[in-house]
Amino acid sequence: MRLWKRAAGALKDRNSIWISSISRRTSYRNPDLEAVVIKATSHDESYVDYKNAQRVFQWVRTSPIYLKPLIWALSMRMEKTRSWIVALKGLMLMHGVFHCKIPAVQMIGRLPFDLSNFSDGHSKRGRTWGYNAFVRAYFLFLDQKSAFLASEMKLQKGRIRQTEEPFTEDLTRLQKWQSLLDVLLQIKPQGENMIVTLILEAMECVIVEIFEVYSRICGGIAHALLRVYETGGKVEAEMALKVLQKARVQGEELTLYFEFCRDIGVMNASEFPKIEQIPDEDIRDLERIISNGVSVSNEDRAIVLKESGAIVERREPR
């Protein structure tokens, strides 16, 4: 039965490639790019085609004109599929496109396809519920990240002449990054039967993303504490306190998450440094500012969360 499924999946991929080869080239359609997208999102559960994924990334980096046909090809592929394998490979490909750091990609906004209610149609529901949940969680993260990046680009364009953004906006952005980390932590296999090659490869991509998001949060907290100590504003201190309290909870969740990832064999998880907890001194300093309405003196500042404590390693997904 398993061999039959693989053969059927390979036949579907070949048919899709043939159909794309006879399609007319337009501003929305590029038959060559469509064929590469199909190969990169094949039905083969045991194989991730990094070669063709890299070809997609190279197209995007070459010129923004390739983004429209790429989004069209990937969206059509995602909307039609009922295979969790194809859906997950498509999300991994989209994830890699975001890491190309192209302005046009960051302006996409909400993803042009919807996998929030994805359900695999090739196996009994009892066997695939975990895979369905994994695909939905991964989609939710990418959709929220895409919307967040677009809103950030619009904000940056609106304050080109402004030297420094308002402190409350800075803190609000930190809270959004923390919300994004919450969504990231929901992406994980739910059962032992899910510890397969493709799931582990997807988890490697998730770990790389957590490196980046957590690094931004750590750097943002250090910067926010310095600004709170300089201004001593009660409203800002209250917002900063919520950020620190949230960071403390997320630090504990991250520790458990990476222990789980190491146990199931996710290689990148072993490279993640020990999570530094938010110092009690920083919490007390902010509470003092809120209750007394005065800033903390230089001698009394804690700021144990140093720049070196943040995770600064940045890597591209394979």
Side-chain angles (χ1 to χ4, degrees):
M1 184 68 173
R2 190 177 184 86
L3 183 60
W4 177 87
K5 281 186 178 181
R6 293 183 65 178
L11 181 60
K12 287 182 180 179
D13 293 335
R14 283 197 296 270
N15 287 340
S16 297
I17 292 172
W18 179 79
I19 292 172
S20 70
S21 69
I22 61 174
S23 63
R24 188 167 60 91
R25 187 182 297 267
T26 66
S27 61
Y28 283 91
R29 300 200 65 174
N30 183 320
D32 296 332
L33 182 53
E34 287 179 34
V36 173
V37 168
I38 294 167
K39 292 176 182 177
T41 59
S42 71
H43 286 76
D44 190 346
E45 176 185 341
S46 63
Y47 175 65
V48 180
D49 192 339
Y50 288 111
K51 179 181 178 180
N52 279 297
Q54 288 298 329
R55 289 179 66 188
V56 171
F57 304 150
Q58 186 58 44
W59 249 311
V60 174
R61 294 188 185 103
T62 299
S63 173
I65 65 173
Y66 292 112
L67 183 60
K68 188 182 293 185
L70 168 61
I71 294 301
W72 190 93
L74 190 56
S75 296
M76 291 300 101
R77 184 77 164 159
M78 294 297 95
E79 292 290 354
K80 290 179 181 179
T81 190
R82 296 193 65 195
S83 165
W84 72 266
I85 300 167
V86 174
L88 183 53
K89 286 184 176 181
L91 292 173
M92 292 168 66
L93 187 64
M94 191 72 233
H95 198 172
V97 169
F98 283 128
H99 277 266
C100 291
K101 308 294 184 182
I102 305 300
V105 172
Q106 297 180 343
M107 289 298 293
I108 291 175
R110 299 291 297 273
L111 293 184
F113 54 87
D114 186 5
L115 295 179
S116 58
N117 293 312
F118 176 81
S119 181
D120 185 275
H122 299 289
S123 302
K124 292 182 180 180
R125 192 167 185 176
R127 295 180 180 178
T128 58
W129 70 268
Y131 296 104
N132 295 339
F134 193 92
V135 168
R136 293 173 187 177
Y138 204 158
F139 166 79
L140 180 61
F141 160 69
L142 288 178
D143 190 43
Q144 291 194 10
K145 175 177 180 174
S146 187
F148 177 50
L149 290 177
S151 66
E152 285 296 293
M153 288 290 287
K154 291 178 181 177
L155 283 175
Q156 289 177 16
K157 288 182 178 180
R159 55 164 181 267
I160 293 176
R161 297 180 181 179
Q162 194 170 322
T163 57
E164 188 174 25
E165 66 181 334
F167 190 18
T168 52
E169 285 188 19
D170 197 11
L171 291 169
T172 299
R173 178 182 295 100
L174 253 180
Q175 291 174 332
K176 289 180 179 179
W177 279 114
Q178 289 181 318
S179 297
L180 206 58
L181 182 58
D182 279 338
V183 180
L184 262 174
L185 294 178
Q186 298 305 309
I187 307 173
K188 64 179 183 178
Q190 304 292 327
E192 293 183 2
N193 65 313
M194 293 182 62
I195 312 304
V196 295
T197 300
L198 183 55
I199 293 292
L200 292 177
E201 292 289 343
M203 289 298 294
E204 298 278 355
C205 297
V206 172
I207 295 297
V208 170
E209 186 70 33
I210 290 179
F211 267 90
E212 179 166 339
V213 172
Y214 191 64
S215 173
R216 288 179 180 272
I217 292 173
C218 288
I221 288 176
H223 181 64
L225 287 175
L226 289 173
R227 290 187 70 174
V228 167
Y229 294 147
E230 289 172 358
T231 62
K234 184 176 180 180
V235 174
E236 292 82 356
E238 288 175 344
M239 290 182 68
L241 180 60
K242 291 180 181 178
V243 169
L244 259 66
Q245 290 170 336
K246 178 69 173 178
R248 173 173 284 186
V249 173
Q250 287 186 326
E252 296 172 354
E253 292 174 342
L254 277 170
T255 298
L256 294 175
Y257 187 86
F258 281 102
E259 287 178 358
F260 169 79
C261 289
R262 282 190 289 267
D263 289 343
I264 65 173
V266 181
M267 298 301 295
N268 281 340
S270 62
E271 301 174 19
F272 204 87
K274 182 180 179 181
I275 303 297
E276 295 292 337
Q277 295 299 326
I278 299 297
D280 293 334
E281 290 86 346
D282 286 333
I283 300 289
R284 286 195 292 268
D285 286 345
L286 290 177
E287 290 174 341
R288 197 183 317 169
I289 292 174
I290 294 170
S291 60
N292 301 331
V294 295
S295 59
V296 181
S297 65
N298 290 333
E299 292 78 11
D300 294 333
R301 291 176 183 173
I303 314 188
V304 181
L305 184 64
K306 301 182 180 69
E307 185 80 15
S308 59
I311 298 167
V312 295
E313 182 177 355
R314 302 287 178 88
R315 293 180 298 174
E316 298 289 334
R318 289 180 289 175

PDB file of all heavy atoms in Angstrom, residues 131 189-196 264:
ATOM      1  N   TYR A 131      -0.392  15.200  11.688  1.00  0.00           N
ATOM      2  CA  TYR A 131       0.194  15.886  10.535  1.00  0.00           C
ATOM      3  C   TYR A 131      -0.656  17.094  10.136  1.00  0.00           C
ATOM      4  O   TYR A 131      -0.120  18.149   9.771  1.00  0.00           O
ATOM      5  CB  TYR A 131       0.313  14.921   9.351  1.00  0.00           C
ATOM      6  CG  TYR A 131       1.248  13.762   9.607  1.00  0.00           C
ATOM      7  CD1 TYR A 131       0.759  12.487   9.878  1.00  0.00           C
ATOM      8  CD2 TYR A 131       2.628  13.948   9.579  1.00  0.00           C
ATOM      9  CE1 TYR A 131       1.619  11.425  10.114  1.00  0.00           C
ATOM     10  CE2 TYR A 131       3.496  12.890   9.800  1.00  0.00           C
ATOM     11  CZ  TYR A 131       2.988  11.633  10.080  1.00  0.00           C
ATOM     12  OH  TYR A 131       3.848  10.589  10.310  1.00  0.00           O
ATOM     13  N   PRO A 189       5.712  17.999  16.486  1.00  0.00           N
ATOM     14  CA  PRO A 189       4.992  16.739  16.269  1.00  0.00           C
ATOM     15  C   PRO A 189       4.253  16.302  17.526  1.00  0.00           C
ATOM     16  O   PRO A 189       4.763  16.444  18.638  1.00  0.00           O
ATOM     17  CB  PRO A 189       6.102  15.760  15.891  1.00  0.00           C
ATOM     18  CG  PRO A 189       7.358  16.359  16.432  1.00  0.00           C
ATOM     19  CD  PRO A 189       7.173  17.841  16.371  1.00  0.00           C
ATOM     20  N   GLN A 190       3.053  15.775  17.331  1.00  0.00           N
ATOM     21  CA  GLN A 190       2.195  15.411  18.456  1.00  0.00           C
ATOM     22  C   GLN A 190       2.236  13.929  18.817  1.00  0.00           C
ATOM     23  O   GLN A 190       1.642  13.533  19.812  1.00  0.00           O
ATOM     24  CB  GLN A 190       0.740  15.806  18.137  1.00  0.00           C
ATOM     25  CG  GLN A 190       0.553  17.274  17.802  1.00  0.00           C
ATOM     26  CD  GLN A 190       0.788  18.177  19.003  1.00  0.00           C
ATOM     27  OE1 GLN A 190       0.512  17.799  20.140  1.00  0.00           O
ATOM     28  NE2 GLN A 190       1.303  19.373  18.749  1.00  0.00           N
ATOM     29  N   GLY A 191       2.900  13.124  17.994  1.00  0.00           N
ATOM     30  CA  GLY A 191       2.927  11.694  18.286  1.00  0.00           C
ATOM     31  C   GLY A 191       4.219  11.057  17.832  1.00  0.00           C
ATOM     32  O   GLY A 191       4.947  11.601  16.989  1.00  0.00           O
ATOM     33  N   GLU A 192       4.540   9.893  18.380  1.00  0.00           N
ATOM     34  CA  GLU A 192       5.779   9.202  18.041  1.00  0.00           C
ATOM     35  C   GLU A 192       5.813   8.780  16.573  1.00  0.00           C
ATOM     36  O   GLU A 192       6.884   8.709  15.967  1.00  0.00           O
ATOM     37  CB  GLU A 192       5.948   7.972  18.940  1.00  0.00           C
ATOM     38  CG  GLU A 192       6.190   8.315  20.418  1.00  0.00           C
ATOM     39  CD  GLU A 192       6.417   7.079  21.253  1.00  0.00           C
ATOM     40  OE1 GLU A 192       6.416   5.969  20.676  1.00  0.00           O
ATOM     41  OE2 GLU A 192       6.597   7.216  22.476  1.00  0.00           O
ATOM     42  N   ASN A 193       4.645   8.511  15.999  1.00  0.00           N
ATOM     43  CA  ASN A 193       4.607   8.087  14.597  1.00  0.00           C
ATOM     44  C   ASN A 193       4.973   9.217  13.639  1.00  0.00           C
ATOM     45  O   ASN A 193       5.170   8.998  12.443  1.00  0.00           O
ATOM     46  CB  ASN A 193       3.211   7.563  14.243  1.00  0.00           C
ATOM     47  CG  ASN A 193       2.146   8.657  14.308  1.00  0.00           C
ATOM     48  OD1 ASN A 193       2.084   9.414  15.271  1.00  0.00           O
ATOM     49  ND2 ASN A 193       1.298   8.716  13.300  1.00  0.00           N
ATOM     50  N   MET A 194       5.086  10.448  14.165  1.00  0.00           N
ATOM     51  CA  MET A 194       5.400  11.605  13.328  1.00  0.00           C
ATOM     52  C   MET A 194       6.899  11.903  13.255  1.00  0.00           C
ATOM     53  O   MET A 194       7.305  12.838  12.561  1.00  0.00           O
ATOM     54  CB  MET A 194       4.669  12.848  13.855  1.00  0.00           C
ATOM     55  CG  MET A 194       3.159  12.790  13.719  1.00  0.00           C
ATOM     56  SD  MET A 194       2.383  14.309  14.320  1.00  0.00           S
ATOM     57  CE  MET A 194       3.077  15.522  13.193  1.00  0.00           C
ATOM     58  N   ILE A 195       7.705  11.138  13.944  1.00  0.00           N
ATOM     59  CA  ILE A 195       9.149  11.396  13.916  1.00  0.00           C
ATOM     60  C   ILE A 195       9.720  10.793  12.647  1.00  0.00           C
ATOM     61  O   ILE A 195      10.335   9.719  12.639  1.00  0.00           O
ATOM     62  CB  ILE A 195       9.846  10.826  15.174  1.00  0.00           C
ATOM     63  CG1 ILE A 195       9.079  11.238  16.429  1.00  0.00           C
ATOM     64  CG2 ILE A 195      11.289  11.311  15.238  1.00  0.00           C
ATOM     65  CD1 ILE A 195       8.895  12.740  16.583  1.00  0.00           C
ATOM     66  N   VAL A 196       9.464  11.481  11.541  1.00  0.00           N
ATOM     67  CA  VAL A 196       9.909  11.037  10.223  1.00  0.00           C
ATOM     68  C   VAL A 196      10.794  12.128   9.619  1.00  0.00           C
ATOM     69  O   VAL A 196      10.857  13.255  10.109  1.00  0.00           O
ATOM     70  CB  VAL A 196       8.703  10.744   9.300  1.00  0.00           C
ATOM     71  CG1 VAL A 196       7.892   9.582   9.836  1.00  0.00           C
ATOM     72  CG2 VAL A 196       7.826  11.981   9.136  1.00  0.00           C
ATOM     73  N   ILE A 264      13.901  14.193  20.226  1.00  0.00           N
ATOM     74  CA  ILE A 264      13.391  13.555  19.007  1.00  0.00           C
ATOM     75  C   ILE A 264      14.405  13.596  17.865  1.00  0.00           C
ATOM     76  O   ILE A 264      14.137  13.082  16.780  1.00  0.00           O
ATOM     77  CB  ILE A 264      12.061  14.186  18.550  1.00  0.00           C
ATOM     78  CG1 ILE A 264      12.261  15.650  18.124  1.00  0.00           C
ATOM     79  CG2 ILE A 264      11.003  14.062  19.627  1.00  0.00           C
ATOM     80  CD1 ILE A 264      11.015  16.277  17.513  1.00  0.00           C
TER      81      ILE A 264
END
